[in-house]
Amino acid sequence: MGRSPCCEKAHTNRGAWTKEEDQLLIAYIKAHGEGCWRSLPKAAGLLRCGKSCRLRWINYLRPDLKRGNFTEEEDELIIKFHGLLGNKWSVIAGQLPGRTDNEIKNYWNTHIKRKLVGRGIDPQTHLPVHGGGGATPGKASKPPPSAASPSETERCPDLNLDLSMSLSFSSPTPSEVFAAADPAADATSSPTSAVPPRRAHAICLPLEEGQHTH
DNA sequence: AAATCCAGCAACCGCAGTTGC
DNA sequence: TGCAACTGCGGTTGCTGGATT
């Protein structure tokens, strides 16, 4: 009740995006910047709901997306961050420049889970699975360990649990790289707290050409 | 060569949190 | 202060292409 649906389903396109729709969305965002998703479709001449536009932009059209195979290093980072944060895909994505939460989530479900199982590690708990292993009480067992779990160090001894961290990397952390690459992304996405700010409020600023590295 | 199965990815759905009025 | 609007997140679904039988 109370809340209106995010869009008029009867008057919006659904399913795969066409090239024309992509072009409209890109052109609009280049001209007006991200944000104001609710009004964007109408303004851009798209028959999509704002959510759909946002998703398409973030997961597919953003110019700073890497796309392509994950490297071994990225694999390991994802595993470590997942051990620390659980299914906080957006936070994990924040540590991997050019990767999106959806992409990482998919990659986790399709590749990494299997990889961990192959190593004899339970992907949810990050605990070794011993033969009959009680480590997997089923998916009903709730969220993966949050950072506060006392046994964390046992499970991931090489992890730096000081979440003020961004980990013990000596080289610039991905987030630093991110911040350097995109000053606008700065503090709002601080991964330094286990529970990052929910959002950086939408700012309708025009993107500057060349702001993103290709 | 055709049919079936499976894996991967893109997109949707519903909910929770935040903000502004 | 409470409520409604809006955004963002995580889980899930469905489609597509490749591999296998």
Side-chain angles (χ1 to χ4, degrees):
Chain A
M1 286 197 247
R3 180 173 302 196
S4 60
C6 83
C7 49
E8 272 291 338
K9 293 187 179 179
H11 300 102
T12 54
N13 291 340
R14 296 163 58 88
W17 280 65
T18 65
K19 274 200 160 55
E20 290 73 26
E21 287 176 314
D22 282 348
Q23 289 309 317
L24 280 173
L25 182 57
I26 291 169
Y28 183 88
I29 290 179
K30 272 190 175 174
H32 301 94
E34 293 181 45
C36 308
W37 295 111
R38 193 171 169 89
S39 57
L40 184 150
K42 198 175 178 183
L46 286 162
L47 291 174
R48 293 273 180 177
C49 79
K51 268 184 159 182
S52 183
C53 293
R54 175 184 160 272
L55 211 61
R56 181 65 177 173
W57 172 255
I58 288 177
N59 289 330
Y60 202 81
L61 299 175
R62 253 171 40 194
D64 57 340
L65 291 181
K66 250 188 205 170
R67 311 204 65 77
N69 296 336
F70 281 75
T71 63
E72 270 299 315
E73 189 183 350
E74 285 175 315
D75 274 17
E76 295 307 320
L77 274 175
I78 292 169
I79 292 168
K80 283 187 180 182
F81 281 120
H82 187 272
L84 276 171
L85 303 162
N87 297 357
K88 298 286 180 190
W89 304 117
S90 60
V91 180
I92 296 172
Q95 302 302 313
L96 295 168
R99 302 295 186 186
T100 71
D101 53 355
N102 204 36
E103 192 178 11
I104 291 172
K105 180 170 59 181
N106 282 333
Y107 188 68
W108 174 268
N109 286 325
T110 55
H111 292 86
I112 299 185
K113 261 187 179 175
R114 213 178 321 232
K115 187 173 176 175
L116 289 181
V117 169
R119 290 183 189 174
I121 297 172
D122 182 272
Q124 280 306 303
T125 62
H126 293 257
L127 284 168
V129 179
H130 297 295
T136 50
K139 24 166 108 163
S141 75
K142 259 260 137 149
S146 71
S149 169
S151 60
E152 197 68 58
T153 49
E154 292 171 19
R155 285 190 240 142
C156 309
D158 59 332
L159 292 180
N160 177 357
L161 291 181
D162 177 2
L163 288 180
S164 63
M165 55 142 184
S166 199
L167 330 172
S168 49
F169 300 125
S170 53
S171 55
T173 66
S175 59
E176 284 166 344
V177 173
F178 219 6
D182 182 5
D186 70 356
T188 57
S189 61
S190 165
T192 55
S193 60
V195 181
R198 279 286 292 184
R199 75 170 138 159
H201 202 51
I203 301 171
C204 301
L205 294 175
L207 288 177
E208 308 229 354
E209 285 296 336
Q211 179 172 352
H212 298 284
T213 55
H214 276 69

